[in-house]
Amino acid sequence: MQTSCDSDTTNNNVATSSSLYDVSSQREIREAYMANDNTQQGTIPIHGRSSGSGCCIIRLTGKDATSVRGLVDFADNFFEGVDSGDNESDNDDSNGATSIAARRLKDLGVFRIANNVHAGFDHNVNEEGKMQVLYTKLIPGDDDEDPLLLPLEVGDLVGTKSLSGAHSGMSTLFDIGSQITSAVLGMDTESTNKLLDDCSRTTAKVEMISDNHEQIADTMSNSYQRIIRYLKPKQDEDAQNDAAFWPHVDSTFLTLIPMPEIAGLEVWCPSSRYAESDDMAERGEWVRPIKPTVIDEGAAAGMDAEANNDEEDCIHVVALAGEFLQLLSDGQVPTCIHRVIAPKPPSPSAFGFGTSDNKYKPRVSAPLFLRPRRGEEAVLDVESDLRDSDNTGLYFEKGLMEECDEMRVWDYMDCMSPNN
């Protein structure tokens, strides 16, 4: 389902400034993620209690689209800078400084800040030749400050303007994600702010010195940004064997991905008709989210120039439901099972050579992972925070929600996966 968002709307209603789209109400957003009419009674779906995919596409316009586009540009600028580090002969002062920053980042690699807290750049994940990943961590700033992004070398690589654009885009995605989570779970603003880590400061500042690494880790946002570049796959491998990311779910409320120009993300769409089939191929299919068409031809003929320009300036964001959204929705929202298949390189010509027009272009993605807060104050009161819950869902039947009441949301993972 496509929804339209505006991060400046109030009362957690999600809206858009474009007259071509209806406002997406909280009820409509909730229904987009919850079980649909195809759910079979008496069957056990693959995940959650829904025959939906757990995936929606969000349409942003105006300054929201501009800010998220800044995050996309930041991702492109980062890998352009990384590539410049391979050019040892670049004597231009500005490019030379970028090359130095790129080489420092590569030499640094992925480093440990504290237990299970890492950041850095992996130029060849698992030595598989499939992708490169920048793992970032964010330290919230004061009200008038951008968060501090680690590794610090990234700012040197991309420059102040690009880094500022990334922070603006992340801020918009945090706001949109908070609105969606609030709408789906029926939470008010106070409960949402308490539980969902939107990179706002809740603790005192800590001096940035090595002796304080444990305290620094405690102040970091539990939500984070990744920048991923999928490398050119081998010609002789099929899509099933050449997945860059194998099928998985995310330990998030939402994973928000500005939709790249190059496709590759695929989500699992269960089929309620064959929910009990032993053949997984019959129980659903892999579907690639695509940018939705604007309107029908009749409406398009009546579009004025301003509306047409508004559509050209929009940007789409894929919003994938994570494990915490499934849990707190009492099983009504399915976690989105997804994978990534890197685009195949162009076929060679009849003479065995590719043409310049068919030059391979890697896919770059900039997902934001929206997670629960880790602080001791982030405790869910089922009765007061989830006021729309009827206490009859999947996890109430299993006793999981009752077991987790008055616990930190982040600790729910131990109840969901006690052996992990």
Side-chain angles (χ1 to χ4, degrees), residues 2 5 19 25 41 57 126 166 183 198 219 221 263 293 319 345 347 352 354 396:
Q2 176 187 0
C5 292
S19 60
S25 67
Q41 298 296 324
I57 298 175
N126 296 327
D198 61 354
T219 67
S221 172
T293 55
S347 301
F396 266 104

Side-chain angles (χ1 to χ4, degrees), residues 48-328:
R49 180 172 282 180
S50 171
S51 57
S53 65
C55 171
C56 286
I57 298 175
I58 311 300
R59 176 182 178 273
L60 301 177
T61 60
K63 64 181 182 181
D64 291 337
T66 300
S67 67
V68 173
R69 193 169 287 112
L71 177 59
V72 175
D73 293 341
F74 162 77
D76 292 334
N77 294 338
F78 173 78
F79 283 113
E80 288 175 5
V82 166
D83 293 341
S84 74
D86 297 327
N87 189 355
E88 302 284 350
S89 62
D90 198 337
N91 294 321
D92 181 80
D93 288 341
S94 59
N95 289 338
T98 300
S99 298
I100 292 173
R103 288 194 289 272
R104 285 174 53 198
L105 195 62
K106 290 179 180 178
D107 292 341
L108 184 64
V110 179
F111 57 94
R112 175 185 175 275
I113 301 171
N115 286 336
N116 301 317
V117 181
H118 299 80
F121 176 60
D122 191 338
H123 71 281
N124 186 6
V125 176
N126 296 327
E127 302 297 324
E128 293 179 340
K130 292 185 176 182
M131 58 183 168
Q132 300 173 323
V133 180
L134 172 67
Y135 302 92
T136 71
K137 286 295 180 182
L138 297 167
I139 300 178
D142 292 331
D143 291 340
D144 57 346
E145 293 179 337
D146 285 335
L148 183 67
L149 185 143
L150 301 179
L152 296 175
E153 288 78 5
V154 174
D156 298 330
L157 182 67
V158 302
T160 303
K161 182 178 180 181
S162 182
L163 185 60
S164 177
H167 283 308
S168 178
M170 282 187 268
S171 177
T172 296
L173 291 182
F174 277 128
D175 199 355
I176 295 300
S178 295
Q179 292 184 52
I180 294 174
T181 302
S182 174
V184 171
L185 299 179
M187 294 194 300
D188 58 22
T189 302
E190 182 179 356
S191 296
T192 304
N193 292 341
K194 177 181 70 172
L195 301 172
L196 188 144
D197 195 332
D198 61 354
C199 200
S200 57
R201 178 176 293 281
T202 59
T203 58
K205 273 189 174 181
V206 177
E207 187 178 1
M208 296 291 291
I209 57 176
S210 59
D211 290 342
N212 291 341
H213 65 280
E214 291 289 348
Q215 295 93 322
I216 293 170
D218 289 339
T219 67
M220 288 183 179
S221 172
N222 205 30
S223 299
Y224 57 88
Q225 179 79 44
R226 282 183 183 169
I227 307 297
I228 307 170
R229 178 163 66 175
Y230 298 95
L231 303 177
K232 182 178 179 180
K234 299 176 182 178
Q235 284 276 13
D236 57 348
E237 291 189 6
D238 60 40
Q240 296 291 337
N241 296 324
D242 201 36
F245 269 119
W246 293 96
H248 65 284
V249 297
D250 294 333
S251 296
T252 60
F253 279 114
L254 288 167
T255 301
L256 300 166
I257 312 169
M259 189 173 283
E261 292 184 6
I262 301 175
L265 174 69
E266 297 182 351
V267 301
W268 178 257
C269 293
S271 169
S272 61
R273 182 179 179 184
Y274 301 107
E276 295 181 320
S277 173
D278 293 332
D279 185 354
M280 284 298 295
E282 289 186 349
R283 297 178 69 180
E285 61 180 331
W286 290 105
V287 177
R288 286 193 171 184
I290 60 173
K291 293 180 181 179
T293 55
V294 186
I295 45 179
D296 59 37
E297 294 181 1
M303 280 176 48
D304 56 29
E306 182 178 356
N308 189 45
N309 290 336
D310 180 62
E311 180 56 34
E312 291 177 354
D313 291 338
C314 77
I315 194 168
H316 293 86
V317 176
V318 180
L320 309 178
E323 290 180 296
F324 289 103
L325 201 60
Q326 175 173 314
L327 175 63
L328 268 64

